[in-house]
Amino acid sequence: MSIVLEVGTKNYADDLLSIKKSLSHMESLLGCYSGYTVSEPSTKFGWTFFKLSFKPELQAGIEEKFSGMIEKYRWSDQTQKFVKFMTDYFLSRGCDVKIKLSD
């Protein structure tokens, strides 16, 4: 199952660039490319929202490479642990975004 994140930002252009750079770095590290897609943005209440979909190869690579770090999160659900890991990863790379699991 592919994970789809809903990303919210107040600075769409800068944060999207930071996310793409971060994911490009992750792809290079894992040796898999074109591992995600970004939807068209929508704006509400001063925030811009878009969906970030992980393809199975990139998602599996992240879960395998960073399994020790992902397991340390307190959620019992593996998907929620992955979402929290990606949130922290983006924040550590300068992306000031809010992330939740898309329905």
Side-chain angles (χ1 to χ4, degrees), residues 30-93:
L30 299 172
C32 63
Y33 300 96
S34 300
Y36 66 93
T37 58
V38 177
S39 71
E40 290 296 317
S42 64
T43 304
K44 296 177 195 166
F45 310 110
W47 285 80
T48 302
F49 298 94
F50 60 94
K51 293 186 189 274
L52 175 63
S53 304
F54 288 86
K55 294 182 181 174
E57 184 181 359
L58 179 61
Q59 179 182 331
I62 293 169
E63 289 174 342
E64 183 180 322
K65 178 83 172 174
F66 300 100
S67 61
M69 295 172 76
I70 292 172
E71 284 304 314
K72 291 182 181 179
Y73 289 102
R74 295 186 178 196
W75 285 272
S76 59
D77 183 349
Q78 188 66 22
T79 303
Q80 289 295 337
K81 289 179 181 185
F82 182 85
V83 172
K84 182 62 177 154
F85 172 78
M86 292 309 302
T87 301
D88 289 348
Y89 177 72
F90 290 138
L91 287 174
S92 74
R93 310 285 260 151

Side-chain angles (χ1 to χ4, degrees), residues 3-14:
I3 291 179
V4 179
L5 305 179
E6 185 172 319
V7 182
T9 177
K10 288 190 173 187
N11 189 347
Y12 176 71
D14 289 345

Side-chain angles (χ1 to χ4, degrees), residues 18-30 32-33 36 89 93:
S18 292
I19 286 172
K20 286 184 175 184
K21 284 182 180 179
S22 299
L23 288 174
S24 176
H25 180 263
M26 183 71 78
E27 288 175 328
S28 295
L29 184 66
L30 299 172
C32 63
Y33 300 96
Y36 66 93
Y89 177 72
R93 310 285 260 151

